[in-house]
């Protein structure tokens, strides 16, 4: 346990960086502020890797699982039988998330030195980055649901600040408010689910697998009330878990709560990489994974909700991505689709025959977490690459690009490798994780398996449409003659190379290991049961998905690689309404605008406001008026004239005497 005594620094360092930069950043130079933020994240990254090597290098327990270690846990707020704790929990998925968050965030910090150079508010930007990273680290290290929710909300605040970084611009302000309102709406359901869960179990603790090793002086967890939980399992706990899932769906941009994410592109591009790859959008996936034992125990039928919401979201986002012209919006809808893949993977992880919770039956859990890891690396590389492109051409639109491969060779190669990874081509990291997701989907239902295979093919198509539109196609000579594109500086290209190397390294090893049956792959460290699970590819499914992905790439190459795209033009002319609908995101923003303004505001909010003003306010105003009038009426009785008091006294005495005589 002593070897993890430093773990509190993983949260403390970015928190201190935020405080220092927030309070004193404006008195510092840009370079000093950037160095403080980047150095703190560099130390966090080192500590995260040390934690991962120590944790996964330790001996397993007798049952073959890794121990759940709690080096710190303190009571923050006692509340009767319940108490709200704050602490640090280390288990396979939290340690894996440490690697993801610290690696991507550190690369974003380095990259931002070049991308944000000379920007007004540079110090404020690095302060918000530190807060964002600290919030996500606190979320994944949470020892209980309440702590997770606390940092969950801090992630929301951080995203609001970063998306609205360019606050003088109205679109940035609108996007930040939109993200904040939509996710807060979803978080309301998350909070209700937490309260229901806590009331019916007398605990906010997670359901852990394996032994829990508590650090010296830590507050012990309160064991959930099993009798109450079983009694509530028929309706209450499944309902609570579904409500929590709505909160996760909002944070991870699942349909129909996805509308905030494309507009979040108004923030700086490195922020987009951080939100999409390592922080905000994967929080919902992590929440389902963290609560997975409870889903399996109490809400197996409700897991189908997770599956079908994920399936529809993946298809919808892929369809929209095929029609977008803004490169960051293509990547945004790509993220929505890939996060949906992870959700589907968790949802299809059901017990095997006779209710046995073996690793193979819950292949989807491992595959979903593996895809979270691989996606973080290649999607961060794609977004940072998009930042280099925007930095070179000063536009997000593909029409302003084309032919950039000869000007930006490093960005071209790293972007291409990341496209192969997300397309699911063997020897690139996305192949191993996505293939295992599709395998798990086929085990759950052939219908789901084929749908997800088709969506994977759409992914390959729209990603190479994006690639050819940027680096091949027709060069916009008119735009480029005013500003010749050029490769980004080293501070921006080095993170691309690092992330690309990780993508290639993981891809090569996991592909060979999956076909050869080697150990040491992702399944050995993270899976549903926690035991050592060796990944074995289903050759038929792997071959089918690979062939379909290659055909999709070939189709995109045939349509978009040339200097002109006559086929694309003919398709646009043949289906203009369909293209327009996809470009407009199938009018989801307009639908939400209509629902909120015409139905909620007009039919609900206005009547409630009228009732509040005229009935509630009117009632209390009337009571105040009555009290005031009564006081005015009684005021003459308190005149201070003794003779008047004597008259009233005598009058009262005579009246009482007459009443008594009458009685």
């Amino acid at each position: 346990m002593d070897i993890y005594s430093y773990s509190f620094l993983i949260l403390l360092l970015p928190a201190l960086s935020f405080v220092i930069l927030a309070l004193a950043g404006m008195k510092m130079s840009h370079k000093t502020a950037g160095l403080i933020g980047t150095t703190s994240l560099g130390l966090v990254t080192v500590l995260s890797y040390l934690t991962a090597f120590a944790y996964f290098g330790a001996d397993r327990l007798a049952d073959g699982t890794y121990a759940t270690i709690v080096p710190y846990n303190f009571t923050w707020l006692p509340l009767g039988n319940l108490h709200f704790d704050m602490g640090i929990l280390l288990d396979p998925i939290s340690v894996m998330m440490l690697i993801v968050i610290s690696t991507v965030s550190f690369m974003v910090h380095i990259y931002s030195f070049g991308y944000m150079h000379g920007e007004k508010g540079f110090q404020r930007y690095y302060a918000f980055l530190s807060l964002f990273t600290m919030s996500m680290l606190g979320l994944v290290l949470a020892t209980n649901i309440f702590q997770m929710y606390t940092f969950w909300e801090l992630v929301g605040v951080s995203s609001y600040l970063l998306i609205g970084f360019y606050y003088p611009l109205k679109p940035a302000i609108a996007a930040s408010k939109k993200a904040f309102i939509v996710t807060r709406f979803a978080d309301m359901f998350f909070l209700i689910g937490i309260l229901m869960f806590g009331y019916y179990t007398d605990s906010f603790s997670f359901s852990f697998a394996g032994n829990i090793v508590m650090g010296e002086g830590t507050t012990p967890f309160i064991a959930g009330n099993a009798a109450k939980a079983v009694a509530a399992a028929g309706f209450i706990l499944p309902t609570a878990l579904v409500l929590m899932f709505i909160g996760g769906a909002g944070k991870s941009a699942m349909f129909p709560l996805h509308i905030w994410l494309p507009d979040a592109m108004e923030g700086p591009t490195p922020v987009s990489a951080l939100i999409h790859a390592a922080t905000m959008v994967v929080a919902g996936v992590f929440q389902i994974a963290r609560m997975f034992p409870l889903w399996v125990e109490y809400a197996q039928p409700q897991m189908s909700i997770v599956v079908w919401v994920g399936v529809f979201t993946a298809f919808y986002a892929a369809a929209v991505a095929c029609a977008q012209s803004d490169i960051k919006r293509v990547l945004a809808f790509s993220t929505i689709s890939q996060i949906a893949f992870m959700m589907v993977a968790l949802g299809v992880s059901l017990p095997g025959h006779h209710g046995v919770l073996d690793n193979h039956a819950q292949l989807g859990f491992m595959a979903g977490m593996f895809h979270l890891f691989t996606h973080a690396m290649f999607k961060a590389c794609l977004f940072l690459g998009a930042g280099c492109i925007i930095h070179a051409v000063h536009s997000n639109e593909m029409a302003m690009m084309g032919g950039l491969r000869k000007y930006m060779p490093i960005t071209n190669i790293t972007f291409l490798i990341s496209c192969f990874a997300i397309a699911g081509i063997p020897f690139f990291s996305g192949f191993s994780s996505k293939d295992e997701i599709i395998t798990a989907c086929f085990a759950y239902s052939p219908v789901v398996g084929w749908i997800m295979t088709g969506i994977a093919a759409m992914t390959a198509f729209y990603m190479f449409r994006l690639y050819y539109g940027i680096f091949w196609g027709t060069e916009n000579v008119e735009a480029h003659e005013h500003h010749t594109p050029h490769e980004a500086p080293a501070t921006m290209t080095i993170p691309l190379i690092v992330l690309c190397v990780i993508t290639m390294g993981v891809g090569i090893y996991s592909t060979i290991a999956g076909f050869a049956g080697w150990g040491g792959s992702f399944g050995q460290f993270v899976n549903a049961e926690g035991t050592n699970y060796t990944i074995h590819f289903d050759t038929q499914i792997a071959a089918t998905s690979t062939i379909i992905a290659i055909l999709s790439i070939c189709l995109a190459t045939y349509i978009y690689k040339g200097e002109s795209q006559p086929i694309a033009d003919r398709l646009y002319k043949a289906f203009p309404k369909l293209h327009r609908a996809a470009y407009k995101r199938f009018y989801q923003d307009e639908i939400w605008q209509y629902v909120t303004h015409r139905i909620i505001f007009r039919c609900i909010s206005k009547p409630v406001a009228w009732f509040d003003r005229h009935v509630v306010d009117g009632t209390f105003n009337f009571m105040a008026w009555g009290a005031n009038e009564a006081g005015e009426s009684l005021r003459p009785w308190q005149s201070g004239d003794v003779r008047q008091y004597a008259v009233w006294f005598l009058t009262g005495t005579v009246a009482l005497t007459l009443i008594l005589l009458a009685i």
Side-chain angles (χ1 to χ4, degrees):
M1 179 59 67
D2 290 340
I3 62 173
Y4 301 110
S5 59
Y6 61 81
S7 57
F8 74 95
L9 293 173
I10 295 175
L11 293 179
L12 181 61
L13 287 172
L16 288 176
S17 174
F18 165 69
V19 172
I20 293 170
L21 294 176
L23 296 179
M26 296 307 295
K27 297 181 180 179
M28 303 175 184
S29 66
H30 286 195
K31 184 176 181 180
T32 301
L35 284 174
I36 290 174
T38 305
T39 302
S40 69
L41 256 296
L43 293 173
V44 168
T45 304
V46 171
L47 293 175
S48 298
Y49 275 83
L50 288 175
T51 301
F53 283 117
Y55 183 83
F56 289 122
D59 294 333
R60 295 173 181 264
L61 302 176
D63 60 359
T65 63
Y66 288 105
T68 298
I69 298 173
V70 181
Y72 297 99
N73 191 62
F74 306 103
T75 298
W76 179 54
L77 181 64
L79 186 66
N81 293 331
L82 292 170
H83 55 69
F84 298 149
D85 295 347
M86 290 288 172
I88 293 175
L89 181 146
L90 301 175
D91 73 342
I93 60 172
S94 65
V95 174
M96 181 271 293
M97 288 300 296
L98 284 182
I99 297 298
V100 171
I101 296 168
S102 62
T103 301
V104 174
S105 183
F106 185 46
M107 293 299 105
V108 167
H109 275 71
I110 295 173
Y111 181 93
S112 297
F113 258 102
Y115 189 87
M116 300 297 291
H117 177 71
E119 287 276 4
K120 183 180 179 181
F122 186 90
Q123 301 93 327
R124 173 168 53 92
Y125 169 81
Y126 268 89
F128 293 163
L129 281 187
S130 296
L131 177 63
F132 204 166
T133 306
M134 184 275 293
S135 301
M136 194 64 193
L137 290 169
L139 190 156
V140 301
L141 293 175
T143 61
N144 58 88
I145 306 174
F146 181 80
Q147 180 183 344
M148 174 185 279
Y149 182 77
T150 302
F151 283 95
W152 184 281
E153 293 303 314
L154 280 174
V155 169
V157 172
S158 306
S159 67
Y160 170 80
L161 295 171
L162 283 169
I163 294 169
F165 176 77
Y166 297 117
Y167 62 86
L169 303 177
K170 289 185 178 180
I173 294 299
S176 63
K177 290 193 295 184
K178 188 176 185 180
F180 191 79
I181 292 170
V182 172
T183 54
R184 293 297 74 68
F185 172 75
D187 292 350
M188 174 185 68
F189 295 96
F190 188 14
L191 179 59
I192 295 171
I194 290 173
L195 296 176
M196 290 177 63
F197 177 82
Y199 179 80
Y200 281 98
T201 62
D202 290 334
S203 174
F204 290 115
S205 299
F206 303 119
S207 177
F208 298 109
N211 296 334
I212 302 175
V213 181
M214 304 292 290
E216 185 176 347
T218 57
T219 303
F221 296 122
I222 295 178
N225 190 322
K228 290 179 68 176
V230 171
F235 174 75
I236 298 296
L237 290 189
T239 302
L241 289 170
V242 171
L243 289 172
M244 293 184 202
F245 166 68
I246 294 175
K251 195 73 79 179
S252 290
M254 294 293 99
F255 186 92
L257 300 172
H258 67 284
I259 56 173
W260 65 270
L261 189 58
D263 292 339
M265 301 300 98
E266 294 295 336
T269 301
V271 171
S272 302
L274 197 57
I275 290 176
H276 286 252
T279 53
M280 192 168 180
V281 293
V282 299
V285 177
F286 179 82
Q287 182 227 81
I288 302 296
R290 174 58 78 205
M291 308 295 289
F292 186 76
L294 293 170
W295 282 92
V296 172
E297 187 74 22
Y298 299 111
Q300 290 185 26
Q302 287 71 29
M303 291 177 76
S304 61
I305 298 174
V306 179
V307 173
W308 289 106
V309 168
V311 168
F312 184 81
T313 302
F315 173 76
Y316 164 82
V320 173
C322 290
Q324 297 302 302
S325 59
D326 184 320
I327 63 173
K328 289 178 67 176
R329 294 195 188 279
V330 175
L331 295 177
F333 280 99
S334 168
T335 296
I336 295 173
S337 185
Q338 296 306 300
I339 296 296
F341 266 85
M342 302 172 204
M343 286 289 192
V344 172
L346 294 175
V348 300
S349 296
L350 293 173
H353 299 293
H354 310 295
V356 177
L357 304 179
D358 57 17
N359 281 320
H360 188 67
Q362 296 188 25
L363 171 64
F365 181 92
M366 183 280 298
M369 292 293 97
F370 192 16
H371 199 55
L372 189 157
F373 178 88
T374 59
H375 174 265
M377 302 305 165
F378 59 67
K379 182 54 64 69
C381 187
L382 287 167
F383 263 108
L384 296 183
C388 292
I389 295 161
I390 295 168
H391 184 265
V393 301
H394 305 293
S395 175
N396 294 19
E397 292 292 326
M398 280 191 279
M400 301 297 290
M401 302 170 192
L404 293 182
R405 67 188 185 282
K406 57 187 177 182
Y407 299 109
M408 309 177 71
I410 297 176
T411 305
N412 173 39
I413 294 172
T414 55
F415 204 94
L416 177 60
I417 290 173
S418 298
C419 286
F420 278 125
I422 196 173
I425 302 302
F427 302 104
F428 298 89
S429 61
F431 165 76
S432 303
S433 55
K434 189 174 289 187
D435 184 79
E436 292 297 85
I437 290 176
I438 293 174
T439 301
C441 289
F442 272 106
Y444 177 82
S445 166
V447 174
V448 176
W450 281 113
I451 292 174
M452 298 308 290
T453 301
I455 297 171
M458 294 172 67
T459 303
F461 175 80
Y462 69 68
M463 286 306 301
F464 275 85
R465 168 183 175 268
L466 175 66
Y467 170 74
Y468 288 123
I470 296 171
F471 295 102
W472 293 74
T474 303
E475 181 180 352
N476 193 321
V477 179
E478 182 179 349
H480 294 174
E481 68 181 4
H482 298 293
H483 181 82
T484 303
H486 55 84
E487 189 61 90
T491 53
M492 297 171 66
T493 55
I494 289 175
L496 296 182
I497 296 170
V498 171
L499 292 168
C500 191
V501 168
I502 294 174
T503 297
M504 284 295 299
V506 171
I508 292 171
Y509 183 84
S510 61
T511 302
I512 297 175
F515 284 114
W518 293 354
S521 59
F522 189 87
Q524 179 179 343
F525 306 109
V526 178
N527 53 68
E529 281 291 272
T531 54
N532 189 352
Y533 177 65
T534 301
I535 295 176
H536 293 279
F537 292 139
D538 185 311
T539 305
Q540 182 177 355
I541 293 176
T544 302
S545 62
T546 300
I547 291 171
I548 292 176
I550 291 174
L551 290 175
S552 298
I553 294 173
C554 291
L555 179 62
T557 304
Y558 178 67
I559 296 175
Y560 295 106
K561 183 184 177 183
E563 293 192 0
S564 61
Q565 293 85 36
I567 297 177
D569 294 337
R570 287 200 298 270
L571 288 173
Y572 173 75
K573 292 178 181 178
F575 306 101
K577 292 183 179 180
L578 179 61
H579 181 274
R580 178 67 177 172
Y583 182 79
K584 295 289 288 183
R585 315 172 201 176
F586 294 101
Y587 305 103
Q588 286 301 302
D589 284 339
E590 289 78 4
I591 291 172
W592 272 106
Q593 191 82 355
Y594 180 86
V595 169
T596 54
H597 286 72
R598 297 295 183 89
I599 298 177
I600 297 177
F601 292 169
R602 178 180 295 181
C603 301
I604 299 176
S605 299
K606 284 188 177 180
V608 169
W610 182 92
F611 182 84
D612 180 63
R613 286 193 301 269
H614 294 84
V615 179
V616 177
D617 290 352
T619 299
F620 284 96
N621 290 338
F622 175 77
M623 293 172 64
W625 174 84
N628 186 62
E629 289 299 314
E632 292 293 335
S633 300
L634 293 174
R635 179 182 294 176
W637 295 9
Q638 301 292 326
S639 63
D641 188 342
V642 176
R643 291 172 299 176
Q644 186 181 22
Y645 292 166
V647 171
W648 282 110
F649 178 76
L650 290 173
T651 302
T653 302
V654 171
L656 287 174
T657 302
L658 292 175
I659 292 172
L660 291 173
L661 289 174
I663 294 175

